[in-house]
Amino acid sequence: MASLKQFLTLFDLAEAANYPEISEYLDCIKQSSFELNDWLTQGLQQVLGDDPRLGIMLHPAVVLAVTQFAVARHTQIKQSTLEPITLPSFSSLKEMEAVRLNEPHHKLLSQLINPDFDFSQLNAVDWGEHDGTNYTAVTHPAPISTQSSAVTQVTYGMPVLKRLAFSLISRGQVKFLRKLPALPQAKRHAVLREQWFASLDKTGRSHDELALALYVVLTAPCYMAEYAAQALVNARYFNQKLNALATGPEMIRKPEIAALIADVKYTEKPIFGIQHGGNAGQIDPRWNEIAEECFVSHFGTWGYTIAEHDEVMPNLKLSTVFSKPLSLVSMPSNDKVLVVVQYISNQIQHGFHSPSFTRQTGSVKSALKMIGDACPGYKIHIRSHPLNNKQDLIDNLDLAQYSNIEFVEGSRGTIAEDAKHYQAVLFTTPSGTGHSECLDAGIPFLVVCERNDVWLRPQNQDVYQQLLDSKIWVTSTDQLSEHVAKAFLPSDTSTSSYQTFYQRFVGVSSGYLSRWIAAFAKIQTK
């Protein structure tokens, strides 16, 4: 098993994005997070009680903290002085994930990685509030039956997923969770956090290990510590009615569901994960994918297999009543090009093995230069990801230098319909939900991106190599100019490559309801 020290040493050997044995590297991340989680859980249990669910619930925060810490340590962004920092309290992993460069928690990291940080002088650390509030200890959970009458579907709002849930409800197979008791507003208790760090056995631990542990203690969402007792009592109540759980990204956004997942995992009931993003399985995994792999016993994917529990399923978002083979439509000849820019995140965890903010913006600027040089006679509309800040993009991408480029508004789920009004659709990244949405509607696209700007999973290198060979994925102005000269009409070779991509990552089926119902029925009987 890879140790935490070995993991931290890797950042001294090579930049993560260029590490030659990336699969070994990711395995090291996973294993070292288990070691760190065991260490932190032992300290937390001394404060809150010997409940094994505490460690299960804490683990995703540890994986996220490892990625955030590694970015700060690897990029060597260090504060020269130790200054008091007021830290906000997090209620969910989503809030913890959203830490951006130069925000309080990033400034904390910049201090902790400084070799001069003195762990015997922690008075500059914001432990939380000293308001006299007593936190509640957790008690070891009483056993519950592993067999009940329903499997739970936790939905995240897609109409097609609701249709699936309602189909299962009509068969008496689902309990549809809508509202779980809410936890109090996040508020860290200084006494608890101080006692947690003090309870850790620090013998033989390096500066980096201590710094990472302190970061987790100060940053972990409150449902993992202050409100753990209440969260786990609620989780146990709902788990008594279940024999399996199906879930999307709720672990990240909803602490009540995260606690329920921990209790279901502890009782060894099946957890069926559902893919919730177009990048999953295609490019380098984000922290939440690594964390999810530690929980799920089955995982429904949109066409890829990596782990043994992956099960290729019809795409819930794109499957329609009528299944159809890929048939490319004719695009209008109107000298208009739609450029779809990916989500450029300034969150520090995106600088891990994913491209950093600087590399992301650099990649898009390079793509826009290729497009601007190859398409001087076209009107170019840029559509950004809904989470991108429009003005930030304009400033960071130097768009003022282009006279034929302008922004257009767009929203989730409309890209395929909007794309029909353009002669060509260009993506500045080789993966994403938008690619699948376009192909499902028969809309051809091009990828404009330098090859070294993205790391692709080895399992899917064949698909992307086809895109490169057929020049659907262009990496130079000359290659893009060839498409312009042909009015962006797809060739026979590119049509074959679209077909391969369609079969791997779109995965539509008229029988999607029966396939998913059968999958849920199968996990109930195991």
Side-chain angles (χ1 to χ4, degrees):
M1 177 181 292
S3 70
L4 185 58
K5 289 181 180 178
Q6 287 175 317
F7 164 71
L8 292 170
T9 301
L10 285 174
F11 283 89
D12 295 328
L13 300 178
E15 183 180 354
N18 298 320
Y19 193 74
E21 300 294 337
I22 195 73
S23 59
E24 176 187 338
Y25 185 85
L26 295 178
D27 286 342
C28 193
I29 297 169
K30 197 179 302 183
Q31 296 300 334
S32 60
S33 70
F34 276 115
E35 180 195 328
L36 176 61
N37 191 63
D38 288 345
W39 178 33
L40 287 163
T41 300
Q42 290 170 11
L44 185 60
Q45 287 175 332
Q46 289 187 48
V47 180
L48 288 181
D50 187 18
D51 189 327
R53 295 174 298 172
L54 288 171
I56 301 174
M57 197 160 56
L58 179 64
H59 190 247
V62 171
V63 175
L64 174 54
V66 165
T67 65
Q68 292 175 329
F69 183 86
V71 173
R73 182 179 180 279
H74 179 58
T75 53
Q76 300 296 301
I77 304 172
K78 298 177 181 177
Q79 294 283 104
S80 58
T81 58
L82 305 181
E83 302 173 353
I85 299 173
T86 301
L87 300 174
S89 299
F90 296 140
S91 62
S92 67
L93 288 164
K94 188 70 174 177
E95 293 177 5
M96 181 179 173
E97 174 190 53
V99 172
R100 293 176 178 269
L101 298 174
N102 299 318
E103 290 185 343
H105 284 82
H106 179 246
K107 291 180 179 178
L108 171 67
L109 282 171
S110 298
Q111 292 189 3
L112 294 179
I113 63 175
N114 191 326
D116 295 330
F117 187 88
D118 185 355
F119 287 95
S120 66
Q121 301 292 327
L122 296 178
N123 53 341
V125 172
D126 176 18
W127 292 100
E129 298 189 28
H130 291 270
D131 59 359
T133 305
N134 293 321
Y135 52 86
T136 305
V138 297
T139 56
H140 200 285
I144 62 175
S145 170
T146 58
Q147 290 296 322
S148 300
S149 59
V151 58
T152 296
Q153 170 62 53
V154 182
T155 183
Y156 49 103
M158 295 193 304
V160 68
L161 189 54
K162 291 179 180 177
R163 289 201 295 273
L164 169 62
F166 292 147
S167 297
L168 290 165
I169 289 170
S170 68
R171 292 166 170 78
Q173 294 176 309
V174 140
K175 180 176 177 61
F176 201 23
L177 286 186
R178 276 314 220 173
K179 291 184 179 180
L180 274 69
L183 297 172
Q185 184 176 358
K187 184 169 63 174
R188 284 176 298 119
H189 295 164
V191 173
L192 188 157
R193 302 283 173 151
E194 286 182 288
Q195 289 183 356
W196 182 3
F197 188 69
S199 298
L200 297 176
D201 181 3
K202 304 175 184 64
T203 306
R205 294 291 182 176
S206 67
H207 174 96
D208 284 330
E209 290 174 299
L210 291 173
L212 182 50
L214 180 57
Y215 179 72
V216 174
V217 169
L218 293 172
T219 306
C222 291
Y223 74 88
M224 300 179 179
E226 285 78 5
Y227 313 134
Q230 184 176 341
L232 291 171
V233 166
N234 294 342
R236 178 49 50 104
Y237 172 79
F238 282 96
N239 188 15
Q240 291 183 70
K241 305 177 182 182
L242 309 180
N243 64 5
L245 178 70
T247 180
E250 286 78 15
M251 176 186 72
I252 302 171
R253 301 183 306 189
K254 300 178 181 178
E256 300 85 1
I257 299 297
L260 178 60
I261 290 173
D263 198 78
V264 173
K265 175 70 174 178
Y266 173 70
T267 53
E268 298 182 343
K269 296 179 181 179
I271 298 178
F272 197 111
I274 299 173
Q275 181 181 341
H276 45 89
N279 287 334
Q282 299 179 36
I283 60 173
D284 52 338
R286 294 175 64 242
W287 72 270
N288 58 292
E289 293 179 59
I290 298 172
E292 286 169 357
E293 289 178 3
C294 302
F295 288 94
V296 298
S297 50
H298 311 73
F299 201 89
T301 69
W302 300 350
Y304 68 90
T305 55
I306 294 175
E308 291 183 3
H309 53 231
D310 288 345
E311 187 166 347
V312 177
M313 300 293 291
N315 187 323
L316 276 170
K317 186 172 184 179
L318 299 179
S319 286
T320 57
V321 176
F322 302 102
S323 178
K324 60 185 185 300
L326 173 63
S327 178
L328 298 178
V329 301
S330 298
M331 306 297 283
S333 299
N334 56 11
D335 295 334
K336 291 170 59 179
V337 172
L338 179 64
V339 178
V340 184
V341 176
Q342 71 267 34
Y343 176 42
I344 301 178
S345 174
N346 204 17
Q347 298 170 1
I348 59 173
Q349 54 95 7
H350 274 276
F352 184 38
H353 42 80
S354 297
S356 64
F357 177 73
T358 302
R359 285 186 60 210
Q360 290 177 71
T361 53
S363 174
V364 175
K365 287 167 77 170
S366 175
L368 290 179
K369 186 176 188 315
M370 282 189 256
I371 295 167
D373 291 346
C375 308
Y378 284 79
K379 188 173 185 178
I380 300 170
H381 286 172
I382 291 183
R383 174 190 171 118
S384 70
H385 191 283
L387 295 179
N388 278 332
N389 181 285
K390 178 179 175 180
Q391 192 56 50
D392 285 348
L393 278 184
I394 292 174
D395 295 340
N396 286 304
L397 299 179
D398 301 328
L399 295 182
Q401 64 179 301
Y402 300 103
S403 60
N404 61 335
I405 291 181
E406 65 178 86
F407 263 89
V408 295
E409 297 296 329
S411 58
R412 290 183 184 273
T414 66
I415 189 169
E417 185 62 33
D418 297 342
K420 293 177 181 178
H421 304 292
Y422 292 87
Q423 186 169 345
V425 179
L426 313 180
F427 287 92
T428 58
T429 180
S431 67
T433 308
H435 302 62
S436 298
E437 291 180 80
C438 282
L439 279 190
D440 185 48
I443 298 171
F445 61 80
L446 297 177
V447 174
V448 183
C449 173
E450 293 186 17
R451 174 63 187 86
N452 292 334
D453 284 337
V454 63
W455 181 82
L456 302 172
R457 294 208 196 209
Q459 294 86 347
N460 293 312
Q461 292 277 4
D462 58 331
V463 177
Y464 285 104
Q465 191 58 51
Q466 278 198 40
L467 296 187
L468 288 163
D469 292 343
S470 60
K471 297 182 181 179
I472 292 174
W473 180 350
V474 299
T475 59
S476 69
T477 301
D478 289 344
Q479 288 182 342
L480 184 56
S481 296
E482 292 178 22
H483 287 280
V484 174
K486 298 175 182 177
F488 292 102
L489 294 174
S491 64
D492 292 340
T493 303
S494 62
T495 301
S496 175
S497 298
Y498 285 129
Q499 184 68 45
T500 301
F501 189 96
Y502 183 81
Q503 292 173 344
R504 182 76 63 88
F505 295 128
V506 181
V508 296
S509 169
S510 61
Y512 72 97
L513 281 178
S514 60
R515 288 275 304 279
W516 280 93
I517 289 169
F520 286 134
K522 182 170 64 176
I523 66 172
Q524 290 183 79
T525 58
K526 288 192 174 183

